[in-house]
Amino acid sequence: MKGLTRELMCLRAANELKEGMYVNLGTGLPSQVKDFVEEEIIFQSENGALGYAPTIWDEELMDYELIDASAVPVGMKPGVSFFDVSTSFVMLRGGYIDVAIVGAFQVSERGDLANYKEKKDVLSTPGGIMDICSGVKRVIVLMEHVTREGKIKIVNECSLPVTAKGVVSTIITDLAYIDVTQEGLLLKEIVPGLSLEEVQTVTEPKLIVSKSLQEFML
Amino acid sequence: MINKFKNSPEEAIADIPDGSTIGVGGFSYAGSPLTLVKALAVRKVKNLTIVGMTPTSYGALIESGSIQKLISPYPSWGLKARHLNPLEELWRRGELEVEIIPMGSLAERLRAAGAGLGPFYCPVGIGTEMERGKEKRVFNNKEYLLEFPMPLDYAFVKGHKGDRFGNVCCRLTTKNYNPVMAMAAKITIVEVDEMVEPGGIDPEATHIPGIFVNRVVLTQEKPKVDWWLKQVVKTKGRRVDEGAD
């Protein structure tokens, strides 16, 4: 099944962001979304930065004391501010952040998020994601539709430990754009060349197809 | 004359007994007090409870077998780095107790301890395994968990500049847990890149006022950033550490 490249996934997620929004990005793929925006969007990183500039790729310019929450070196730009974790989580828990874009191992039909523990005997931990989900206005999941082994990630019920209950409002994958609604999962966009049946076979809950279903908005 | 400067990290940590609870600042390598951590690891102190974000900060104390219990939001951070591997092995063998705590809840528990507050209700972790053993209460139709303050015997803090009064300023994203740990501890020990005269820190940029600080030493230990830089470049910044992808 031919899906979007990781760059195009980031671009699709970036299209959800509007000028002036305050946005927190999770580790992994979501952290790259900041490199795909042109408008003035203020990114917040839970380790204590607001309004930082995109990733630094030049090894000479990398500073280990200027990083985002993925420990990736980022840049400075006018208007950036730095603070401690107490202030940072006031922003996150207190409802000041408009959007969080996070990764996931599983998302359920009701918007439960599981994104910190793949296996029981592996030391894998939530970091700040539980705090982020408790206060951010809108949580968008950005992930591959299935695992590398082809296992389904959008499920009826999460079998992995849940990070936060009923918090996900939108799922963006390499194959589809899906809104979590009271009635169920609403399929709104699909990758060109893919049939509805093909998307349904890799999605456990029955998808509701939007009347305005369209190809990915890129 | 007030003088919180100590001549060496060894002198600054000399009185720390076995079984102490120590907060270690830092997030990844940023703001990690590696000099103090290393000095304590060399002293072979036993049965410590360590409170801290990432093993990149307190790794030397894992290698030295000094930790009995780890309280951390992200103990799996950076375990692909060879020097941090023992943590997961010790945990699997049951030789190291690990308590997972959400990142913001830890910040607020430290702050509460420092600020003289009692327990507080926090919504983080509702509906997850973090609920276990915690009192749950509903206010205005929203569920909360009762969280307790987390006082520390000692805090290890990393600053950029420090003066003899204990005033500290921090560079860029190195503040992270450092200010709240300094508040939560009975004894706060800070390592700085530069010792300055009083007045050498802009009073408007004093991130940790000296009242929270007991001892100040000079940083000697530089982080092993080579591994980190390689990971950033190799994974195009995508997967520097463990975490959902």
Side-chain angles (χ1 to χ4, degrees), chain B residues 152-188:
Chain B
L152 305 169
D153 297 318
Y154 293 85
F156 286 0
V157 164
K158 169 74 172 46
H160 180 48
K161 290 180 188 173
D163 67 22
R164 64 180 174 82
F165 292 126
N167 295 310
V168 172
C169 84
C170 302
R171 236 186 125 238
L172 305 167
T173 54
T174 65
K175 282 190 203 87
N176 53 64
Y177 280 97
N178 285 308
V180 279
M181 290 215 172
M183 291 177 198
K186 282 189 219 118
I187 303 283
T188 294

Side-chain angles (χ1 to χ4, degrees), chain A residues 6-7 27-32 46-49 55-57 59 62-74 76 82-87 89-90 93 103-105 114-118 120-132 134-135 142-144 148 153 161-165, chain B residues 27-31 53 72-77 79 87-88 91-92 98 100-108 111 122-130 142 158 160 171-180 183 193 221-223 225 228-230 232-233 235-245:
Chain A
R6 296 177 73 87
E7 286 74 19
T27 56
L29 185 62
S31 77
Q32 288 184 303
E46 61 266 31
N47 58 316
T55 315
I56 300 276
W57 295 115
E59 277 188 57
M62 287 179 178
D63 184 338
Y64 72 87
E65 293 189 331
L66 179 49
I67 57 173
D68 68 9
S70 303
V72 169
V74 292
M76 287 234 261
F82 303 116
F83 36 83
D84 71 348
V85 282
S86 184
T87 309
F89 281 93
V90 168
R93 217 191 295 108
F105 296 135
N115 76 347
Y116 78 98
K117 204 184 248 186
E118 266 177 307
K120 267 215 147 55
D121 62 336
V122 171
L123 196 55
S124 177
T125 46
I129 187 69
M130 286 187 179
D131 314 75
I132 291 168
S134 89
L142 179 63
M143 66 174 191
E144 309 282 352
R148 285 192 192 96
K153 297 173 79 175
V162 168
T163 311
K165 284 226 167 225
Chain B
F27 186 111
S28 184
Y29 290 118
M53 178 69 197
S72 175
Y74 220 132
S76 58
W77 184 275
L79 291 187
L87 193 155
E88 198 165 31
W91 171 71
R92 279 214 189 95
V98 177
I100 307 300
I101 175 169
M103 206 181 151
S105 300
L106 173 60
E108 220 49 34
R111 211 190 71 82
C122 178
V124 176
I126 287 289
T128 77
E129 54 186 34
M130 295 298 151
K142 189 171 169 179
K158 169 74 172 46
H160 180 48
R171 236 186 125 238
L172 305 167
T173 54
T174 65
K175 282 190 203 87
N176 53 64
Y177 280 97
N178 285 308
V180 279
M183 291 177 198
D193 300 321
E221 200 69 17
K222 287 284 168 206
V225 289
W228 170 71
L229 282 178
K230 271 191 213 119
V232 171
V233 175
T235 67
K236 294 189 182 141
R238 198 159 54 72
R239 207 180 172 101
V240 186
D241 281 286
E242 292 283 334
D245 182 285

Side-chain angles (χ1 to χ4, degrees), chain A residues 89-197:
Chain A
F89 281 93
V90 168
M91 296 175 192
L92 289 159
R93 217 191 295 108
Y96 294 90
I97 304 293
D98 297 299
V99 178
I101 303 177
V102 303
F105 296 135
Q106 289 178 332
V107 184
S108 82
E109 190 172 17
R110 282 192 307 278
D112 295 350
L113 172 70
N115 76 347
Y116 78 98
K117 204 184 248 186
E118 266 177 307
K119 291 176 195 149
K120 267 215 147 55
D121 62 336
V122 171
L123 196 55
S124 177
T125 46
I129 187 69
M130 286 187 179
D131 314 75
I132 291 168
C133 288
S134 89
V136 168
K137 289 176 199 152
R138 182 179 179 212
V139 176
I140 298 174
V141 163
L142 179 63
M143 66 174 191
E144 309 282 352
H145 206 95
V146 295
T147 67
R148 285 192 192 96
E149 297 78 36
K151 272 175 113 177
I152 284 181
K153 297 173 79 175
I154 304 174
V155 293
N156 294 333
E157 290 282 348
C158 294
S159 58
L160 296 168
V162 168
T163 311
K165 284 226 167 225
V167 294
V168 177
S169 57
T170 299
I171 308 165
I172 299 173
T173 75
D174 51 332
L175 304 182
Y177 180 110
I178 298 167
D179 268 342
V180 180
T181 71
Q182 294 242 308
E183 291 70 38
L185 298 180
L186 181 66
L187 178 65
K188 291 172 92 169
E189 293 175 31
I190 192 167
V191 71
L194 198 68
S195 72
L196 289 173
E197 292 71 31

Side-chain angles (χ1 to χ4, degrees), chain A residues 1-17:
Chain A
M1 226 173 278
K2 188 110 180 83
L4 297 183
T5 61
R6 296 177 73 87
E7 286 74 19
L8 287 175
M9 288 168 71
C10 286
L11 187 62
R12 181 61 193 87
N15 287 348
E16 294 296 289
L17 308 178

